[in-house]
Amino acid sequence: MRFLPASLVIAAALAAAAPAHAQRQSLADRVAALEIQSANDRGNTDLLNQVTQLRTEMQQLRDLVEQLQNENEKLKQTSRDQYLDLDGRLNRLEGGTVPVTPAATTPPVAPPAKSSAAAPAATAERPPSVRGDVGAMASAGDERAAYNVAFDALKGGNYADSAQLFLSFLELYPNGAYSPNAIYWLGESYYVTQNYQLAAQQFRALLDRYPTHDKAAGSLLKLGLSEYGLGKVDEAERTLGEVLARYPGTDVARTADDRLRSMQLGRSIR
């Protein structure tokens, strides 16, 4: 037997090993490709799960916003009803104090009533109210009748009519005993019809002219809500914060606090 050269033996061995090596390399590539595909599938599954979770959370937030909007509308309606009821009760109480016969007491009381109605400086010290003031009540007969016509339109839900009637009233009695109430309810007539710009003007006017009137707290609250209706969120938050600072522990302060919390929640979910 002849012995083959060593170089030929090595070459033959390498030639035989080449297909096996190529096969192993091909299998490794396929395994790597499968691993990459599997990883991509897992990534796609994770992404799909995240999208599904985000959709669920988005729906929950939408439901929450809708719930808050409904609560907001109920709150506005409740607040409006409370103010209307309060003013109606005050009207009945004021009407019940009008004297029918006592002529002897009218002369001495009438002069102070005239001076208090005519002097703007008095409004800085005490609210321009006619409760218990016999002379003012007696001299405000026509004024009260005109005020009641406008207020009855407001109570009946005829807000466009009530706005015109309160405007007419303020033209006739710009410094009357019921002028602060008329300014407030004129603003309310605008507010409930979402005419927030005109509403804010009336509430601001009342605060400027009658800062100590019993409608001042409600005017400041409604000014903040009107600013919010106009999209002036920062101004609304400052105004409502002022309500909390000026009138702590009152119904208007609690309403302002609720609205502030609602605004802050609305910002947090955007």
Side-chain angles (χ1 to χ4, degrees):
M1 177 182 290
R2 294 181 179 180
F3 293 98
L4 295 174
S7 59
L8 291 177
V9 173
I10 293 172
L14 289 174
H21 176 73
Q23 244 182 0
R24 285 195 301 272
Q25 186 66 33
S26 176
L27 286 173
D29 292 342
R30 290 171 63 189
V31 169
L34 289 172
E35 289 176 347
I36 293 172
Q37 183 179 356
S38 176
N40 289 337
D41 290 341
R42 285 196 300 271
N44 290 336
T45 301
D46 292 340
L47 181 61
L48 181 60
N49 291 336
Q50 291 176 10
V51 169
T52 302
Q53 182 179 357
L54 288 174
R55 286 176 177 171
T56 301
E57 292 177 357
M58 181 65 71
Q59 185 60 47
Q60 291 174 346
L61 291 175
R62 286 174 178 170
D63 294 342
L64 177 60
V65 169
E66 184 177 358
Q67 178 184 352
L68 290 173
Q69 288 175 340
N70 291 334
E71 291 178 354
N72 181 31
E73 290 301 322
K74 292 179 181 178
L75 180 62
K76 288 196 294 185
Q77 182 63 43
T78 300
S79 176
R80 181 163 58 248
D81 292 343
Q82 287 175 345
Y83 281 123
L84 290 173
D85 178 67
L86 176 60
D87 193 84
R89 283 184 286 168
L90 289 175
N91 287 339
R92 289 191 293 272
L93 289 173
E94 291 168 354
T97 61
V98 178
V100 179
T101 55
T105 58
T106 301
V109 181
K114 284 186 179 179
S115 63
S116 65
T123 61
E125 297 178 357
R126 56 179 298 178
S129 174
V130 298
R131 288 192 292 276
D133 192 333
V134 178
M137 288 297 294
S139 64
D142 293 338
E143 178 187 346
R144 179 57 186 268
Y147 175 83
N148 283 343
V149 170
F151 189 71
D152 287 343
L154 179 71
K155 289 192 294 185
N158 302 317
Y159 302 119
D161 292 342
S162 66
Q164 292 299 320
L165 289 168
F166 280 122
L167 281 172
S168 299
F169 174 87
L170 290 169
E171 290 178 2
L172 290 172
Y173 306 99
N175 298 309
Y178 293 95
S179 294
N181 294 58
I183 295 172
Y184 177 84
W185 292 117
L186 175 59
E188 188 73 23
S189 299
Y190 289 136
Y191 180 82
V192 296
T193 55
Q194 299 183 355
N195 197 337
Y196 300 121
Q197 186 67 42
L198 291 177
Q201 291 175 6
Q202 302 308 316
F203 296 131
R204 193 176 288 111
L206 191 147
L207 291 167
D208 292 340
R209 293 180 57 186
Y210 307 102
T212 60
H213 192 267
D214 55 3
K215 294 290 187 189
S219 293
L220 190 60
L221 172 66
K222 285 303 179 70
L223 175 60
L225 298 182
S226 298
E227 290 170 341
Y228 182 72
L230 291 169
K232 301 177 180 179
V233 180
D234 292 337
E235 294 181 21
E237 289 183 344
R238 283 194 296 269
T239 303
L240 294 176
E242 193 174 350
V243 174
L244 294 176
R246 286 192 187 184
Y247 309 103
T250 62
D251 289 339
V252 292
R254 284 186 284 273
T255 301
D257 186 53
D258 290 340
R259 294 309 300 271
L260 279 172
R261 292 175 185 273
S262 177
M263 291 179 192
Q264 293 165 359
L265 180 60
R267 282 186 170 186
S268 66
I269 64 177
R270 286 178 184 174

